């Protein structure tokens, strides 16, 4: 029933537009009552992303049993679970990506989805590095880097219309994360300023490692300070204090990407 409702909803979103489709329209198309819809989806937005709860649960289960001798490699492998979800249904994934770019409310919703993935990865890394001091910081930055790398490769595939193998670009991006962070992340007592000892620029580069992108298909990090980190504007980093209002996040993203 969950799949039937999601399929009916998405068909209507494509035919009529997201804003002009009501829950009553969806249940009429699916041939069920309103109660059935809300049993599976709290809102229309949730019906656009019916597979993320399952994927998040699968990621959590994977991290609970993974070999922790290579924590950075473990969270990179966990990110590939999300990639496989998208690759399993290219047509739907591409259509959802296009719909999400057209509807500000869906982009806002997707930000929260991305953050849940990132928090799951960071939680696993905190268990490896410790909850306090640089251990917690390292966990947050590496998790954000993994999400950004995954999203960058995934976005390239989605924008191509789902052509080719999405794993090529994502594997390349994740390999960069492992190269940068893997050299010290698995060591006990790793340096408190890894960027300096690894020959990386200090300061904003830690934020740049958390470049935003669609773990689903929109933008990722929240904040108010923007740092473009690629010449063509493909990647944007957003940094702000915890608790920044979501409307401010979306506003800043839209300003940064403009009409594109």
């Amino acid at each position: 029933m969950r799949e039937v409702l999601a399929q009916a909803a998405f068909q209507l979103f494509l035919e009529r537009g997201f804003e002009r489709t009501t829950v009553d329209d969806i249940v009429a198309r699916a041939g069920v009552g309103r109660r059935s819809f809300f049993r599976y989806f709290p809102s229309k937005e949730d019906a656009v992303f019916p597979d993320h709860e399952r994927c998040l649960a699968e990621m959590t289960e994977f991290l609970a049993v993974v070999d922790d001798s290579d924590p950075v490699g473990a969270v990179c492998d966990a990110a590939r679970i999300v990639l496989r979800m998208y690759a399993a249904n290219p047509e739907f994934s591409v259509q959802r990506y296009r719909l999400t770019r057209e509807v500000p409310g869906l982009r806002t919703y997707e930000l929260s989805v991305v953050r849940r993935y990132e928090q799951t990865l960071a939680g696993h890394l905190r268990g490896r590095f410790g909850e306090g001091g640089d251990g917690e910081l390292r966990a947050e930055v590496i998790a954000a880097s993994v999400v950004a790398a995954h999203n960058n490769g995934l976005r390239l595939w989605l924008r191509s219309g789902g052509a080719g193998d999405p794993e090529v670009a994502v594997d390349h991006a994740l390999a960069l994360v492992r190269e940068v962070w893997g050299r010290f992340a698995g060591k006990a007592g790793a340096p408190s300023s890894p960027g300096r000892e690894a020959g990386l620029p200090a300061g904003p580069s830690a934020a740049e490692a958390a470049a935003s992108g669609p773990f689903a298909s929109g933008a990722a990090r929240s904040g108010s300070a923007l740092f473009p980190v690629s010449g063509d504007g493909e990647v944007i980093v957003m940094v702000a204090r915890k608790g920044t209002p979501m409307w401010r996040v979306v506003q800043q993203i839209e300003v940064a990407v403009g009409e594109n």
Side-chain angles (χ1 to χ4, degrees):
M1 179 58 64
R2 182 182 181 88
E3 293 179 1
V4 169
L5 286 166
Q7 184 176 18
F10 206 78
Q11 288 173 348
L12 287 168
F13 296 154
L14 294 178
E15 293 171 10
R16 305 180 184 180
F18 180 81
E19 300 295 345
R20 291 191 294 274
T21 299
T22 66
V23 171
D24 287 334
D25 295 331
I26 296 170
V27 297
R29 174 68 65 90
V32 299
R34 285 174 59 89
R35 183 176 300 178
S36 295
F37 179 87
F38 290 111
R39 183 179 299 127
Y40 294 97
F41 302 111
S43 67
K44 286 195 304 180
E45 288 81 2
D46 291 280
V48 180
F49 305 96
D51 39 13
H52 281 293
E53 289 297 331
R54 174 188 56 77
C55 190
L56 187 64
E58 185 177 348
M59 175 186 285
T60 302
E61 292 172 4
F62 171 82
L63 291 172
V65 299
V66 71
D67 178 7
D68 229 7
S69 60
D70 178 12
V72 177
V75 291
C76 285
D77 289 341
R80 291 186 176 91
I81 295 173
V82 184
L83 175 65
R84 289 195 293 271
M85 176 193 73
Y86 277 88
N89 194 341
E91 182 179 1
F92 175 75
S93 297
V94 171
Q95 288 178 336
R96 176 167 60 187
Y97 172 69
R98 293 169 178 168
L99 178 65
T100 302
R101 287 177 59 82
E102 295 172 358
V103 182
L106 292 179
R107 293 200 297 271
T108 300
Y109 181 93
E110 193 171 50
L111 287 167
S112 67
V113 175
V114 173
R115 181 56 180 160
R116 291 180 67 192
Y117 282 116
E118 187 176 313
Q119 287 177 324
T120 299
L121 299 180
H124 177 78
L125 291 171
R126 280 196 298 272
R128 176 65 178 81
F129 301 144
E131 293 285 346
D134 283 355
E136 185 168 358
L137 173 62
R138 190 175 297 119
E140 292 285 345
V141 173
I142 293 175
S145 300
V146 170
V147 169
H150 172 279
N151 291 346
N152 184 268
L154 177 60
R155 187 192 296 112
L156 292 174
W157 179 70
L158 291 168
R159 287 180 174 173
S160 75
D165 185 355
E167 291 191 20
V168 175
V170 172
D171 284 349
H172 175 73
L174 291 175
L176 179 62
V177 173
R178 296 186 69 171
E179 178 184 352
V180 172
W181 294 109
R183 69 186 73 176
F184 62 85
K187 300 176 181 178
S192 60
S193 300
R196 295 180 184 275
E197 298 215 5
L200 301 174
S205 63
E208 290 171 4
S212 68
F215 219 92
S217 60
R221 291 292 287 171
S222 63
S224 58
L226 303 182
F227 300 88
V229 296
S230 67
D232 56 6
E234 286 294 316
V235 179
I236 295 172
V237 180
M238 305 192 67
V239 180
R241 294 182 182 277
K242 183 178 180 181
T244 300
M246 189 60 70
W247 67 267
R248 174 71 70 182
V249 175
V250 176
Q251 180 186 63
Q252 292 293 342
I253 293 173
E254 291 179 340
V255 169
V257 301
E259 295 300 323
N260 296 320

PDB file of all heavy atoms in Angstrom, residues 25-45:
ATOM      1  N   ASP A  25      -6.773  14.047  -3.813  1.00  0.00           N
ATOM      2  CA  ASP A  25      -6.471  13.607  -5.182  1.00  0.00           C
ATOM      3  C   ASP A  25      -5.667  12.303  -5.169  1.00  0.00           C
ATOM      4  O   ASP A  25      -5.911  11.395  -5.973  1.00  0.00           O
ATOM      5  CB  ASP A  25      -5.653  14.681  -5.918  1.00  0.00           C
ATOM      6  CG  ASP A  25      -6.422  15.971  -6.126  1.00  0.00           C
ATOM      7  OD1 ASP A  25      -7.658  15.907  -6.226  1.00  0.00           O
ATOM      8  OD2 ASP A  25      -5.771  17.038  -6.184  1.00  0.00           O
ATOM      9  N   ILE A  26      -4.714  12.239  -4.256  1.00  0.00           N
ATOM     10  CA  ILE A  26      -3.835  11.062  -4.200  1.00  0.00           C
ATOM     11  C   ILE A  26      -4.612   9.813  -3.816  1.00  0.00           C
ATOM     12  O   ILE A  26      -4.475   8.761  -4.447  1.00  0.00           O
ATOM     13  CB  ILE A  26      -2.682  11.310  -3.211  1.00  0.00           C
ATOM     14  CG1 ILE A  26      -1.797  12.462  -3.706  1.00  0.00           C
ATOM     15  CG2 ILE A  26      -1.850  10.041  -3.032  1.00  0.00           C
ATOM     16  CD1 ILE A  26      -0.774  12.931  -2.694  1.00  0.00           C
ATOM     17  N   VAL A  27      -5.434   9.924  -2.777  1.00  0.00           N
ATOM     18  CA  VAL A  27      -6.165   8.731  -2.328  1.00  0.00           C
ATOM     19  C   VAL A  27      -7.216   8.317  -3.353  1.00  0.00           C
ATOM     20  O   VAL A  27      -7.523   7.127  -3.501  1.00  0.00           O
ATOM     21  CB  VAL A  27      -6.795   8.951  -0.937  1.00  0.00           C
ATOM     22  CG1 VAL A  27      -5.712   9.189   0.099  1.00  0.00           C
ATOM     23  CG2 VAL A  27      -7.796  10.096  -0.943  1.00  0.00           C
ATOM     24  N   ALA A  28      -7.773   9.296  -4.089  1.00  0.00           N
ATOM     25  CA  ALA A  28      -8.728   8.957  -5.143  1.00  0.00           C
ATOM     26  C   ALA A  28      -8.027   8.182  -6.248  1.00  0.00           C
ATOM     27  O   ALA A  28      -8.563   7.193  -6.763  1.00  0.00           O
ATOM     28  CB  ALA A  28      -9.374  10.230  -5.699  1.00  0.00           C
ATOM     29  N   ARG A  29      -6.826   8.612  -6.615  1.00  0.00           N
ATOM     30  CA  ARG A  29      -6.080   7.904  -7.655  1.00  0.00           C
ATOM     31  C   ARG A  29      -5.692   6.497  -7.182  1.00  0.00           C
ATOM     32  O   ARG A  29      -5.712   5.548  -7.971  1.00  0.00           O
ATOM     33  CB  ARG A  29      -4.828   8.713  -8.011  1.00  0.00           C
ATOM     34  CG  ARG A  29      -3.855   8.045  -8.972  1.00  0.00           C
ATOM     35  CD  ARG A  29      -4.445   7.916 -10.376  1.00  0.00           C
ATOM     36  NE  ARG A  29      -4.681   9.209 -11.000  1.00  0.00           N
ATOM     37  CZ  ARG A  29      -3.797   9.870 -11.759  1.00  0.00           C
ATOM     38  NH1 ARG A  29      -2.618   9.326 -12.011  1.00  0.00           N
ATOM     39  NH2 ARG A  29      -4.110  11.039 -12.291  1.00  0.00           N
ATOM     40  N   ALA A  30      -5.352   6.371  -5.913  1.00  0.00           N
ATOM     41  CA  ALA A  30      -4.936   5.071  -5.375  1.00  0.00           C
ATOM     42  C   ALA A  30      -6.112   4.173  -5.022  1.00  0.00           C
ATOM     43  O   ALA A  30      -5.941   2.964  -4.814  1.00  0.00           O
ATOM     44  CB  ALA A  30      -4.056   5.277  -4.141  1.00  0.00           C
ATOM     45  N   GLY A  31      -7.312   4.764  -4.920  1.00  0.00           N
ATOM     46  CA  GLY A  31      -8.491   3.974  -4.588  1.00  0.00           C
ATOM     47  C   GLY A  31      -8.582   3.591  -3.132  1.00  0.00           C
ATOM     48  O   GLY A  31      -9.106   2.517  -2.797  1.00  0.00           O
ATOM     49  N   VAL A  32      -8.088   4.470  -2.238  1.00  0.00           N
ATOM     50  CA  VAL A  32      -8.144   4.204  -0.800  1.00  0.00           C
ATOM     51  C   VAL A  32      -8.672   5.449  -0.089  1.00  0.00           C
ATOM     52  O   VAL A  32      -8.937   6.472  -0.715  1.00  0.00           O
ATOM     53  CB  VAL A  32      -6.755   3.828  -0.237  1.00  0.00           C
ATOM     54  CG1 VAL A  32      -6.228   2.570  -0.909  1.00  0.00           C
ATOM     55  CG2 VAL A  32      -5.767   4.974  -0.431  1.00  0.00           C
ATOM     56  N   GLY A  33      -8.798   5.370   1.233  1.00  0.00           N
ATOM     57  CA  GLY A  33      -9.272   6.498   2.003  1.00  0.00           C
ATOM     58  C   GLY A  33      -8.135   7.344   2.554  1.00  0.00           C
ATOM     59  O   GLY A  33      -6.975   6.937   2.539  1.00  0.00           O
ATOM     60  N   ARG A  34      -8.477   8.522   3.058  1.00  0.00           N
ATOM     61  CA  ARG A  34      -7.473   9.432   3.616  1.00  0.00           C
ATOM     62  C   ARG A  34      -6.725   8.796   4.783  1.00  0.00           C
ATOM     63  O   ARG A  34      -5.533   9.034   4.968  1.00  0.00           O
ATOM     64  CB  ARG A  34      -8.142  10.734   4.094  1.00  0.00           C
ATOM     65  CG  ARG A  34      -8.556  11.665   2.974  1.00  0.00           C
ATOM     66  CD  ARG A  34      -9.344  12.848   3.524  1.00  0.00           C
ATOM     67  NE  ARG A  34      -8.569  13.604   4.486  1.00  0.00           N
ATOM     68  CZ  ARG A  34      -7.758  14.622   4.182  1.00  0.00           C
ATOM     69  NH1 ARG A  34      -7.607  14.991   2.919  1.00  0.00           N
ATOM     70  NH2 ARG A  34      -7.100  15.282   5.118  1.00  0.00           N
ATOM     71  N   ARG A  35      -7.430   8.005   5.565  1.00  0.00           N
ATOM     72  CA  ARG A  35      -6.788   7.373   6.715  1.00  0.00           C
ATOM     73  C   ARG A  35      -5.643   6.475   6.279  1.00  0.00           C
ATOM     74  O   ARG A  35      -4.606   6.409   6.942  1.00  0.00           O
ATOM     75  CB  ARG A  35      -7.818   6.572   7.511  1.00  0.00           C
ATOM     76  CG  ARG A  35      -7.257   5.934   8.770  1.00  0.00           C
ATOM     77  CD  ARG A  35      -8.339   5.236   9.564  1.00  0.00           C
ATOM     78  NE  ARG A  35      -9.386   6.157   9.984  1.00  0.00           N
ATOM     79  CZ  ARG A  35     -10.479   5.793  10.666  1.00  0.00           C
ATOM     80  NH1 ARG A  35     -10.647   4.514  10.985  1.00  0.00           N
ATOM     81  NH2 ARG A  35     -11.374   6.691  11.016  1.00  0.00           N
ATOM     82  N   SER A  36      -5.817   5.805   5.150  1.00  0.00           N
ATOM     83  CA  SER A  36      -4.739   4.944   4.647  1.00  0.00           C
ATOM     84  C   SER A  36      -3.511   5.759   4.278  1.00  0.00           C
ATOM     85  O   SER A  36      -2.382   5.341   4.538  1.00  0.00           O
ATOM     86  CB  SER A  36      -5.224   4.155   3.418  1.00  0.00           C
ATOM     87  OG  SER A  36      -6.252   3.256   3.766  1.00  0.00           O
ATOM     88  N   PHE A  37      -3.749   6.925   3.678  1.00  0.00           N
ATOM     89  CA  PHE A  37      -2.610   7.763   3.298  1.00  0.00           C
ATOM     90  C   PHE A  37      -1.819   8.172   4.536  1.00  0.00           C
ATOM     91  O   PHE A  37      -0.585   8.018   4.588  1.00  0.00           O
ATOM     92  CB  PHE A  37      -3.074   9.009   2.550  1.00  0.00           C
ATOM     93  CG  PHE A  37      -1.954   9.922   2.147  1.00  0.00           C
ATOM     94  CD1 PHE A  37      -1.281   9.749   0.950  1.00  0.00           C
ATOM     95  CD2 PHE A  37      -1.538  10.958   2.986  1.00  0.00           C
ATOM     96  CE1 PHE A  37      -0.229  10.575   0.580  1.00  0.00           C
ATOM     97  CE2 PHE A  37      -0.494  11.794   2.634  1.00  0.00           C
ATOM     98  CZ  PHE A  37       0.163  11.598   1.426  1.00  0.00           C
ATOM     99  N   PHE A  38      -2.499   8.698   5.524  1.00  0.00           N
ATOM    100  CA  PHE A  38      -1.798   9.211   6.703  1.00  0.00           C
ATOM    101  C   PHE A  38      -1.256   8.105   7.599  1.00  0.00           C
ATOM    102  O   PHE A  38      -0.444   8.376   8.486  1.00  0.00           O
ATOM    103  CB  PHE A  38      -2.722  10.151   7.488  1.00  0.00           C
ATOM    104  CG  PHE A  38      -2.992  11.445   6.777  1.00  0.00           C
ATOM    105  CD1 PHE A  38      -4.246  11.730   6.268  1.00  0.00           C
ATOM    106  CD2 PHE A  38      -1.973  12.364   6.573  1.00  0.00           C
ATOM    107  CE1 PHE A  38      -4.491  12.917   5.601  1.00  0.00           C
ATOM    108  CE2 PHE A  38      -2.205  13.553   5.905  1.00  0.00           C
ATOM    109  CZ  PHE A  38      -3.466  13.833   5.413  1.00  0.00           C
ATOM    110  N   ARG A  39      -1.663   6.888   7.364  1.00  0.00           N
ATOM    111  CA  ARG A  39      -1.061   5.769   8.081  1.00  0.00           C
ATOM    112  C   ARG A  39       0.382   5.557   7.615  1.00  0.00           C
ATOM    113  O   ARG A  39       1.235   5.106   8.378  1.00  0.00           O
ATOM    114  CB  ARG A  39      -1.876   4.495   7.855  1.00  0.00           C
ATOM    115  CG  ARG A  39      -1.354   3.284   8.638  1.00  0.00           C
ATOM    116  CD  ARG A  39      -2.219   2.058   8.393  1.00  0.00           C
ATOM    117  NE  ARG A  39      -3.583   2.281   8.814  1.00  0.00           N
ATOM    118  CZ  ARG A  39      -4.660   2.095   8.051  1.00  0.00           C
ATOM    119  NH1 ARG A  39      -4.514   1.684   6.799  1.00  0.00           N
ATOM    120  NH2 ARG A  39      -5.870   2.314   8.522  1.00  0.00           N
ATOM    121  N   TYR A  40       0.655   5.907   6.367  1.00  0.00           N
ATOM    122  CA  TYR A  40       1.984   5.685   5.791  1.00  0.00           C
ATOM    123  C   TYR A  40       2.790   6.967   5.625  1.00  0.00           C
ATOM    124  O   TYR A  40       4.014   6.932   5.690  1.00  0.00           O
ATOM    125  CB  TYR A  40       1.849   4.995   4.429  1.00  0.00           C
ATOM    126  CG  TYR A  40       1.302   3.602   4.511  1.00  0.00           C
ATOM    127  CD1 TYR A  40      -0.057   3.355   4.296  1.00  0.00           C
ATOM    128  CD2 TYR A  40       2.120   2.526   4.837  1.00  0.00           C
ATOM    129  CE1 TYR A  40      -0.571   2.071   4.376  1.00  0.00           C
ATOM    130  CE2 TYR A  40       1.618   1.235   4.920  1.00  0.00           C
ATOM    131  CZ  TYR A  40       0.271   1.015   4.696  1.00  0.00           C
ATOM    132  OH  TYR A  40      -0.235  -0.261   4.789  1.00  0.00           O
ATOM    133  N   PHE A  41       2.110   8.090   5.400  1.00  0.00           N
ATOM    134  CA  PHE A  41       2.816   9.341   5.133  1.00  0.00           C
ATOM    135  C   PHE A  41       2.205  10.481   5.942  1.00  0.00           C
ATOM    136  O   PHE A  41       1.006  10.755   5.816  1.00  0.00           O
ATOM    137  CB  PHE A  41       2.745   9.696   3.644  1.00  0.00           C
ATOM    138  CG  PHE A  41       3.314   8.655   2.730  1.00  0.00           C
ATOM    139  CD1 PHE A  41       2.487   7.922   1.892  1.00  0.00           C
ATOM    140  CD2 PHE A  41       4.677   8.396   2.714  1.00  0.00           C
ATOM    141  CE1 PHE A  41       3.000   6.954   1.050  1.00  0.00           C
ATOM    142  CE2 PHE A  41       5.204   7.423   1.876  1.00  0.00           C
ATOM    143  CZ  PHE A  41       4.367   6.705   1.045  1.00  0.00           C
ATOM    144  N   PRO A  42       3.007  11.155   6.750  1.00  0.00           N
ATOM    145  CA  PRO A  42       2.484  12.287   7.514  1.00  0.00           C
ATOM    146  C   PRO A  42       2.094  13.475   6.640  1.00  0.00           C
ATOM    147  O   PRO A  42       1.285  14.315   7.049  1.00  0.00           O
ATOM    148  CB  PRO A  42       3.656  12.661   8.441  1.00  0.00           C
ATOM    149  CG  PRO A  42       4.522  11.444   8.482  1.00  0.00           C
ATOM    150  CD  PRO A  42       4.374  10.804   7.144  1.00  0.00           C
ATOM    151  N   SER A  43       2.668  13.569   5.432  1.00  0.00           N
ATOM    152  CA  SER A  43       2.425  14.731   4.582  1.00  0.00           C
ATOM    153  C   SER A  43       2.669  14.377   3.123  1.00  0.00           C
ATOM    154  O   SER A  43       3.189  13.301   2.804  1.00  0.00           O
ATOM    155  CB  SER A  43       3.362  15.881   4.976  1.00  0.00           C
ATOM    156  OG  SER A  43       4.713  15.543   4.671  1.00  0.00           O
ATOM    157  N   LYS A  44       2.303  15.295   2.227  1.00  0.00           N
ATOM    158  CA  LYS A  44       2.594  15.101   0.799  1.00  0.00           C
ATOM    159  C   LYS A  44       4.092  14.992   0.569  1.00  0.00           C
ATOM    160  O   LYS A  44       4.549  14.230  -0.285  1.00  0.00           O
ATOM    161  CB  LYS A  44       2.051  16.277  -0.015  1.00  0.00           C
ATOM    162  CG  LYS A  44       0.573  16.325  -0.192  1.00  0.00           C
ATOM    163  CD  LYS A  44       0.200  17.295  -1.312  1.00  0.00           C
ATOM    164  CE  LYS A  44       0.748  18.691  -1.097  1.00  0.00           C
ATOM    165  NZ  LYS A  44       0.379  19.604  -2.199  1.00  0.00           N
ATOM    166  N   GLU A  45       4.858  15.795   1.286  1.00  0.00           N
ATOM    167  CA  GLU A  45       6.314  15.783   1.099  1.00  0.00           C
ATOM    168  C   GLU A  45       6.901  14.403   1.346  1.00  0.00           C
ATOM    169  O   GLU A  45       7.799  13.954   0.633  1.00  0.00           O
ATOM    170  CB  GLU A  45       6.967  16.800   2.030  1.00  0.00           C
ATOM    171  CG  GLU A  45       6.749  18.255   1.633  1.00  0.00           C
ATOM    172  CD  GLU A  45       5.410  18.800   2.059  1.00  0.00           C
ATOM    173  OE1 GLU A  45       4.635  18.051   2.704  1.00  0.00           O
ATOM    174  OE2 GLU A  45       5.105  19.962   1.752  1.00  0.00           O
TER     175      GLU A  45
END
